[in-house]
Amino acid sequence: MRYKQFDFSFDLSFRYGNDIMRLDYATVEDRQTLSNSLTTVLNAWTPQNQNTPIASVRVDSQGDGSELKLNSHYIEDGSFIRGSNIVFGYTLPYRIVNTVKLDRVRFYVNAQNFFLITKYKGYDPETTNYTDTFAQGVEFFNYPKAHSFNLGVNVVF
């Protein structure tokens, strides 16, 4: 959008119905005797606590994590709305910049990935560290997208 010397642009991205397998969550919750676990394992299945989706604490007899049990407990809704990019700019009037022999001077402020609305409990429902097409929607200790905030000046001679 433009109004007089001001310009504004705004990009939203969204995804609905996106399910994500929290493989990172599964490994720290289901491999209790191999590594540190989440406190949720305190609610693991026992004969006295049978109404829980968390598997019982068991010793991994192989020692290689081969007893990892994946199930729908580790699937989360990854629907989201993200503020991908926003730019607000101001261009100095030509009569002002022409006095210093310039064609155009524009000041702007820009932000990328400036908000994320989701019920997803992980860092970011849009990231993955797998390149395989069939492994999309699997999170395994991913980093979230970086937030970026910029101030700038465009000068055209």
Side-chain angles (χ1 to χ4, degrees), residues 73-144:
H73 171 63
Y74 302 112
I75 303 288
E76 285 189 31
D77 178 19
S79 300
F80 67 89
I81 297 175
R82 178 188 302 278
S84 301
N85 193 31
I86 188 169
V87 180
F88 181 73
Y90 176 76
T91 303
L92 291 174
Y94 181 74
R95 61 179 158 48
I96 293 173
V97 297
N98 190 35
T99 60
V100 290
K101 307 293 187 226
L102 296 175
D103 286 336
R104 183 173 177 233
V105 176
R106 178 178 172 263
F107 299 92
Y108 68 90
V109 60
N110 164 262
Q112 295 176 335
N113 300 316
F114 57 97
F115 77 83
L116 176 65
I117 299 171
T118 185
K119 292 181 181 176
Y120 182 63
K121 293 178 189 156
Y123 285 128
D124 193 330
E126 198 175 18
T127 63
T128 185
N129 51 5
Y130 292 102
T131 56
D132 185 349
T133 304
F134 296 107
Q136 300 303 306
V138 177
E139 181 182 347
F140 189 66
F141 298 107
N142 300 336
Y143 289 105

Side-chain angles (χ1 to χ4, degrees), residues 31 33-35 58-68:
R31 294 179 175 176
T33 59
L34 286 177
S35 62
R58 61 199 180 283
V59 175
D60 182 3
S61 58
Q62 302 294 320
D64 61 0
S66 61
E67 294 187 25
L68 180 64

Side-chain angles (χ1 to χ4, degrees), residues 11-63:
D11 295 332
L12 285 177
S13 59
F14 67 93
R15 191 170 298 151
Y16 178 76
N18 181 39
D19 286 336
I20 299 173
M21 165 64 80
R22 295 283 315 271
L23 189 57
D24 55 350
Y25 202 77
T27 60
V28 294
E29 187 176 80
D30 195 48
R31 294 179 175 176
Q32 300 99 341
T33 59
L34 286 177
S35 62
N36 290 336
S37 297
L38 297 173
T39 58
T40 55
V41 299
L42 298 174
N43 189 33
W45 187 94
T46 64
Q48 297 77 28
N49 184 28
Q50 295 184 13
N51 189 21
T52 180
I54 302 167
S56 62
V57 176
R58 61 199 180 283
V59 175
D60 182 3
S61 58
Q62 302 294 320

